[in-house]
Amino acid sequence: MTPRHAHDDTRWELGPVVGSANPQDHVVHSTPVPESSDLPPRLDSALTALTQMTGPTVSFVVDPDPESVTHARHFALSRLGEWNVAALADDVGLVVSELVTNALRHSGRVTGGRPGDDVHREGVYDDPADPLGSAPSAIRLRLVYRAPWLLCGIIDASGAAPRRKEPDYIAETGRGLHLVESFSVRWGWRALPHGKVVWALFRSP
């Protein structure tokens, strides 16, 4: 797999090659990603179709379970096979894995609500004691294909913007959105009445 592009407006500053062995010395700073705006009309309409489940959109419910990342990736790859765009499998599989992982990690379930309520609170970030237990039960992976474009979206109930971390090349995590940016043509997010969608666009060869 190779990155498809590198945005000029998102330069990544390299940290020191060798650093302190103290984990506290590797504090990773993050900044919220601005919401998508002024999208091309065709992409804007495709994103609307994806969020409203109109047109040829397929959807998969992601359960708050450690195996759900694998299940979501398999769902996406099976759809690519049906649409004869298996050439995108590596890139789409990686991006789906990253976005589903982020949604599971950063969203939480409302307690005390009525049964069936599809409303969630914003989760606690990076809680090692509860990486999945507070994740929402209504994260959704959606895909829409209009040749040659494939649009992938992860819908969750947190209204918080995705946060781009300054990459720490010593740390084992924190590079998810950098990978999403590198392996898709374009990506972004949009607020919804009850949460947000984080999307990534791919072009079939």
Side-chain angles (χ1 to χ4, degrees):
M1 295 183 293
T2 56
R4 292 290 171 260
H5 74 300
H7 289 303
D8 291 337
D9 60 348
T10 53
R11 299 295 184 184
W12 294 87
E13 297 181 3
L14 295 176
V17 175
V18 178
S20 167
N22 184 352
Q24 298 300 321
D25 292 341
H26 298 291
V27 177
V28 179
H29 301 285
S30 64
T31 55
V33 176
E35 186 176 357
S36 306
S37 61
D38 299 324
L39 297 178
R42 189 178 182 192
L43 176 56
D44 187 79
S45 64
L47 187 57
T48 299
L50 183 141
T51 57
Q52 297 180 358
M53 275 296 292
T54 58
T57 302
V58 295
S59 183
F60 176 82
V61 175
V62 179
D63 294 322
D65 180 273
E67 296 298 322
S68 59
V69 175
T70 300
H71 296 159
R73 183 172 62 250
H74 287 171
F75 172 82
L77 298 186
S78 65
R79 298 292 84 72
L80 296 185
E82 293 175 3
W83 293 331
N84 296 316
V85 286
L88 293 175
D90 287 344
D91 293 351
V92 172
L94 184 149
V95 168
V96 164
S97 297
E98 292 295 336
L99 293 182
V100 170
T101 297
N102 285 348
L104 286 168
R105 182 176 294 151
H106 299 315
S107 296
R109 182 184 293 113
V110 160
T111 57
R114 293 172 300 176
D117 279 356
D118 188 16
V119 180
H120 305 85
R121 63 172 176 81
E122 182 180 339
V124 177
Y125 280 65
D126 300 320
D127 180 359
D130 185 23
L132 292 178
S134 63
S137 59
I139 295 171
R140 292 179 174 85
L141 162 65
R142 290 183 179 169
L143 302 167
V144 59
Y145 178 59
R146 297 175 180 173
W149 299 101
L150 175 77
L151 183 63
C152 165
I154 305 294
I155 298 174
D156 67 55
S158 169
R163 300 186 68 89
R164 178 184 283 114
K165 294 182 179 180
E166 296 177 10
D168 181 342
Y169 294 96
I170 297 174
E172 295 182 358
T173 60
R175 295 185 289 271
L177 292 184
H178 176 50
L179 293 174
V180 172
E181 184 173 71
S182 297
F183 287 91
S184 61
V185 173
R186 186 171 182 174
W187 80 279
W189 73 281
R190 174 174 289 180
L192 301 175
H194 300 289
K196 68 176 179 297
V197 56
V198 182
W199 57 269
L201 182 68
F202 304 85
R203 183 185 176 96
S204 60

